[in-house]
């Protein structure tokens, strides 16, 4: 019987194949988790952006909101400086659509709706199709009008 001190080439190749098959799920999981992290980052960013836009405009006087809502469907022009946004996040807004709509439900009572639409950097962009969207609504009223009116508010 021979005394072997090393493994044969076949044994080494079989061991490498087993290790390679064991590493495939780990590598795939890493790519998937990275994609989910980016998804979460964008989702949180646009949700907080929508909340900041609503907060910024809801503190305006009711008459000023009505005056600003000059666009179609009561659209209000939102800019990067209203509310201000840090420079490092501006790249996320490059291809995003930000809309703010004001709808008067009755005299002195209205609702503001912030709509954020975006594509991820890895999405295939198809013109006219939006991949991701967040829509937040806040009711606003003129403080001079009584809020005690019995009216059901529906979205």
């Amino acid at each position: 019987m021979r005394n072997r001190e090393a493994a044969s080439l076949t044994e080494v190749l079989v061991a490498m194949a087993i290790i390679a098959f064991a590493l495939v799920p780990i590598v795939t999981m890493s790519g998937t988790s990275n994609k989910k992290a980016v998804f979460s980052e964008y989702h949180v960013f646009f949700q907080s952006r929508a909340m900041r836009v609503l907060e910024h405009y809801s503190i305006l006087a009711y008459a000023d909101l009505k005056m600003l809502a000059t666009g179609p469907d009561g659209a209000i022009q939102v800019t990067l400086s209203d509310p201000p946004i840090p420079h490092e996040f501006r790249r996320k807004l490059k291809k995003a659509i930000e809309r703010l709509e004001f709808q008067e439900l009755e005299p002195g009572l209205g609702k503001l709706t912030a709509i954020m639409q975006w594509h991820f950097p890895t999405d295939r962009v198809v013109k006219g199709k939006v991949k991701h969207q967040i829509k937040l609504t806040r009711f606003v009223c003129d403080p001079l009008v009584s809020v005690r009116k019995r009216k059901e508010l529906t979205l």
Side-chain angles (χ1 to χ4, degrees):
M1 204 149 128
R2 279 177 38 194
N3 188 5
R4 292 184 3 183
E5 292 183 17
S8 69
L9 178 62
T10 308
E11 292 171 334
V12 170
L13 291 177
V14 168
M16 287 177 58
I18 291 171
I19 291 172
F21 281 120
L23 289 178
V24 167
I26 295 170
V27 172
T28 307
M29 183 179 62
S30 171
T32 304
S33 65
N34 185 31
K35 193 173 188 178
K36 286 185 180 185
V38 169
F39 175 82
S40 296
E41 177 186 343
Y42 271 71
H43 195 275
V44 167
F45 169 76
F46 281 105
Q47 185 173 9
S48 65
R49 175 69 178 161
M51 289 172 57
R52 287 189 65 183
V53 167
L54 279 178
E55 288 171 2
H56 180 78
Y57 284 94
S58 66
I59 63 171
L60 295 177
Y62 189 81
D64 292 342
L65 280 174
K66 283 177 65 173
M67 186 179 69
L68 285 173
T70 56
D73 299 328
I76 297 174
Q77 180 67 38
V78 179
T79 64
L80 291 178
S81 59
D82 295 327
I85 184 167
H87 183 70
E88 62 269 15
F89 293 116
R90 290 180 186 233
R91 67 177 173 79
K92 291 181 182 161
L93 287 172
K94 221 175 217 182
K95 296 181 182 178
I97 298 169
E98 288 185 302
R99 285 189 7 216
L100 183 66
E101 298 172 355
F102 174 76
Q103 178 186 5
E104 188 168 37
L105 302 173
E106 63 180 52
L109 180 65
K111 71 176 180 177
L112 278 174
T113 304
I115 302 166
M116 305 290 155
Q117 300 172 333
W118 74 94
H119 292 277
F120 290 126
T122 58
D123 286 343
R124 284 190 294 151
V125 178
V126 179
K127 192 170 185 177
K129 289 193 175 183
V130 175
K131 286 278 190 176
H132 311 280
Q133 173 176 306
I134 289 181
K135 190 177 193 179
L136 298 177
T137 300
R138 175 176 278 180
F139 292 101
V140 291
C141 68
D142 188 348
L144 301 176
V145 176
S146 173
V147 192
R148 291 184 154 191
K149 292 182 182 179
R150 294 182 183 201
K151 170 116 175 129
E152 298 260 343
L153 297 177
T154 58
L155 297 176

